[in-house]
Amino acid sequence: MTSTKTLTIDNFIAGKWEGSAERFEVRDPGRTADIVATVAVADAGAVDRAVNAAHAALKIWSEVSVEKRAEAVLHAADLIEAEADKGLDGLVGVVVRETGMLPAEITMEFRGAAFASRDNVEAARIALEPRIIEDEASIVRIEHKPIGVVAAIVPWNAPIVLLIRKFAPALVAGDTLVIKTPPTAPAGIALLMEKLAPLFPEGVINVVHGGAETGAALAAHPKVRLVSFTGGGVAAKAIMKTAAETLKNVQFELGGNDAAIVLDDFDLDGQIPTLAAGAFHRSGQFCFAIKRLYVPTSIYDAFFDKLAAHLDKVRIGHPLHPETTFGPINNGAQLSYLKGLIQKTRDAGGELIELGTPVSPETWDEGNYLRPVLVKDPGPDFDIVTCEQFGPVLPVMRYMDEDAVVELANGTDYGLGSSVWTSNFDRGAAFARRLEAGMTFINKNAQSRLGRRHMPFGGIKQSGIGTENSELGLAEFTEIHAMNFHKV
C-alpha cells in the first residue's frame, strides 16, 4: 500500500523549489481527514518569476534541433512509463491519494501519458517539416516556429495525461512551459516534473500552484503567448477576456453534454459493460463521458434492466481497498453539486435508481462517496439532461424516431463528444455524421490506440477552441512563418 505521509509541495521555478507563506491542503477524497499534501500558493510575483524563467530558457530551447528536442521528449516518455511500472510505490500512489481514482486507472493514465509523448514526437516529424511549393517564377516555403512561453492549466480529473498532452507538443515544438496545477491534485504533477526537468535546459519546465488568481496572473502575463486550458467554460471565458489584453493565443478543451445514441440492433448481451464504462469510468469524472443516453423504445426496458444489473455489481469505496471497483468523487464542491442535482431531479418527479454496494458502510461519511445513479425517462428539460454532470448520474431517455433523436442530441450549446452504438458499422458511421460534435465514437466511448495518435481531440460550440493530439493539435503550439523567394 502507498505511503500515507503528508507531502510538502512547493512551486518549481527554474529548477528549484520555492515555498511561500500561504499554503493550502490537499485531502484524500476517500478519507477526507487525511492530508495528502500541503502546497505553496504562487502569488503574482512567483508567477512572474516562473514566466521570466521560461522566457529566458526559450532562447536556448527554441534553437535546439527538432531531432534533439524529440530525443528529450522520448526520454521523458520512458521515465513516465517507469513510474507506471512502480505502481503504488511511485507517483501512481501519490496521484491515487489526491484524485481518488483507482490504482488501475492511474497506472493506465501514466501509460497513456507515455504514449502521448511518443505520439507527439511522431506527429512533430510530420507537422514541423517545412512545406515547399515551387514554380518557374518563385518558391514558397512555410515553416512552423515555436510559439513561445506556454501556460498549461490542467484539471484534477486526469492530471498526468492531460498535462502531458500539452507538455509533449509544446516541448517538441520548441516552446517552454509554466504549468498551473489543479488545486485538488497538484502533487503528482509537481513531483513528475521534478523528475523530467533535468532532461531539458533550466527553466524550460516550471510549475506553479494556486486557484483562480494564479491562473489569472498567468493569463495576463505579457510574455505568455499561448494559454492551453482544460476545464470548465466559466473559467475559459475569464481566461479569454484576460488573454485578449495581450492578444495571446488560447486553446481550450472544455466540458460537454455528450449524447450516446443506442440503435435498435444494439447487442444487449455483449455491449452493456462497454457502454457502462463510457459513462461511469472514473466514477463519471472525465470530460467526454456519456452524459445523456438515448435508447429505442423497442428495447428500452430490457436495456435499462441490464444496465442497472451491471452497475449494481460495483463496490464503492476507498481506491486503496482491494474490494473497491468504484471510487469517490474528487472534492467536496463537486460532491455537493451532484447531490444537489440528484435532489432537483427527484423534486422534478424523476425516477432515480441508486446502485452498487459500499465496501465499508461504516466509513461512508469519511469520504466523498456517491453511488452510481440512473434516471429513468426524465423529461427533456430536466437539468440532469441539459447540464454536464461530471459524475456518476446518468439520464436514460427513450426514443421512437431517429430524426427526432438526432435533433435532441444536437440541441445543446455543447459539442465535445458523442457516441453511436450499433452492430452495423456503416449504419453507425452514417448516423455519426449527423451529430454536432468534435468527436464521435462508435461502439466504445473512448479512443483506440490508433485514435490517440491520429484523432484530433477537442470540441465545437461551447466545448472548446482548437484541438489536441495529432499533427493538427501539435500545430497549435507553433506559429507559421511563410517565405516567398522570387527567382526573377
Side-chain angles (χ1 to χ4, degrees), residues 59-142:
K59 298 174 184 177
I60 301 168
W61 184 240
S62 63
E63 294 300 319
V64 173
S65 69
V66 174
E67 291 75 17
K68 292 293 184 183
R69 298 197 303 250
E71 285 180 16
V73 173
L74 289 175
H75 194 174
D78 293 339
L79 294 179
I80 295 167
E81 194 161 54
E83 285 299 325
D85 292 338
K86 293 177 186 177
L88 292 174
D89 293 329
L91 294 183
V92 167
V94 174
V95 180
V96 167
R97 290 181 64 209
E98 64 183 345
T99 63
M101 305 298 173
L102 302 182
E105 293 168 340
I106 298 302
T107 299
M108 289 306 299
E109 182 177 334
F110 273 82
R111 296 198 191 285
F115 286 143
S117 296
R118 295 174 183 132
D119 287 346
N120 274 285
V121 166
E122 185 180 329
R125 290 175 175 145
I126 299 170
L128 301 182
E129 185 70 20
R131 184 182 176 206
I132 300 170
I133 308 100
E134 183 175 3
D135 66 11
E136 64 280 359
S138 72
I139 301 171
V140 170
R141 181 180 175 91
I142 302 168

Side-chain angles (χ1 to χ4, degrees), residues 227 307 310 445:
V227 179
L307 179 60
H310 176 78
N445 193 57

Side-chain angles (χ1 to χ4, degrees), residues 227-229 236-237 239-240 250-254 459 463-466:
V227 179
S228 179
F229 169 76
K237 290 173 184 177
I239 290 169
M240 198 169 187
V250 295
Q251 178 196 47
F252 293 152
E253 196 268 279
L254 308 177
S463 287
I465 295 174

Side-chain angles (χ1 to χ4, degrees), residues 101-400:
M101 305 298 173
L102 302 182
E105 293 168 340
I106 298 302
T107 299
M108 289 306 299
E109 182 177 334
F110 273 82
R111 296 198 191 285
F115 286 143
S117 296
R118 295 174 183 132
D119 287 346
N120 274 285
V121 166
E122 185 180 329
R125 290 175 175 145
I126 299 170
L128 301 182
E129 185 70 20
R131 184 182 176 206
I132 300 170
I133 308 100
E134 183 175 3
D135 66 11
E136 64 280 359
S138 72
I139 301 171
V140 170
R141 181 180 175 91
I142 302 168
E143 297 181 352
H144 287 269
K145 301 180 70 173
I147 200 168
V149 177
V150 175
I153 303 179
V154 186
W156 51 260
N157 60 308
I160 302 302
V161 72
L162 293 179
L163 166 61
I164 298 302
R165 289 202 331 211
K166 305 176 190 302
F167 166 102
L171 295 189
V172 78
D175 304 319
T176 56
L177 283 168
V178 180
I179 299 157
K180 194 198 87 66
T181 63
T184 62
I189 287 175
L191 295 172
L192 179 62
M193 290 301 104
E194 179 192 28
K195 289 177 180 290
L196 302 188
L199 301 174
F200 306 90
E202 184 179 285
V204 168
I205 298 171
N206 306 273
V207 184
V208 296
H209 313 290
E213 290 184 2
T214 304
L218 260 180
H221 202 290
K223 291 180 181 176
V224 170
R225 294 315 309 153
L226 168 67
V227 179
S228 179
F229 169 76
T230 301
V234 173
K237 290 173 184 177
I239 290 169
M240 198 169 187
K241 288 178 182 178
T242 302
E245 294 297 321
T246 49
L247 291 177
K248 55 173 57 76
N249 288 28
V250 295
Q251 178 196 47
F252 293 152
E253 196 268 279
L254 308 177
N257 184 220
D258 305 48
I261 301 175
V262 172
L263 302 187
D264 56 14
D265 59 355
F266 178 83
D267 180 1
L268 282 169
D269 294 321
Q271 287 186 287
I272 286 287
T274 304
L275 187 146
F280 292 97
H281 176 63
R282 290 178 175 259
S283 301
Q285 298 170 105
F286 63 105
C287 59
F288 61 99
I290 295 170
K291 314 296 194 312
R292 297 175 286 153
L293 182 53
Y294 295 95
V295 181
T297 297
S298 60
I299 64 170
Y300 183 93
D301 291 333
F303 176 97
F304 192 96
D305 289 347
K306 285 181 179 289
L307 179 60
H310 176 78
L311 291 171
D312 206 33
K313 297 174 185 175
V314 304
R315 301 293 306 279
I316 308 110
H318 194 281
L320 295 177
H321 194 292
E323 294 180 18
T324 295
T325 61
F326 199 90
I329 304 304
N330 173 261
N331 59 81
Q334 185 64 16
L335 179 65
S336 178
Y337 167 74
L338 289 166
K339 286 183 173 179
L341 193 57
I342 289 168
Q343 188 58 50
K344 287 174 72 174
T345 305
R346 188 173 284 118
D347 292 344
E351 182 180 352
L352 293 90
I353 296 92
E354 297 184 36
L355 301 156
T357 305
V359 169
S360 303
E362 69 279 4
T363 61
W364 184 263
D365 293 334
E366 295 179 7
N368 300 325
Y369 296 113
L370 189 68
R371 297 170 70 188
V373 178
L374 295 178
V375 185
K376 193 170 188 178
D377 281 327
D381 58 346
F382 276 34
D383 285 355
I384 192 63
V385 176
T386 61
C387 76
E388 180 182 28
Q389 307 95 305
F390 218 80
V393 187
L394 179 66
V396 185
M397 286 76 69
R398 67 179 76 223
Y399 73 90
M400 295 181 65

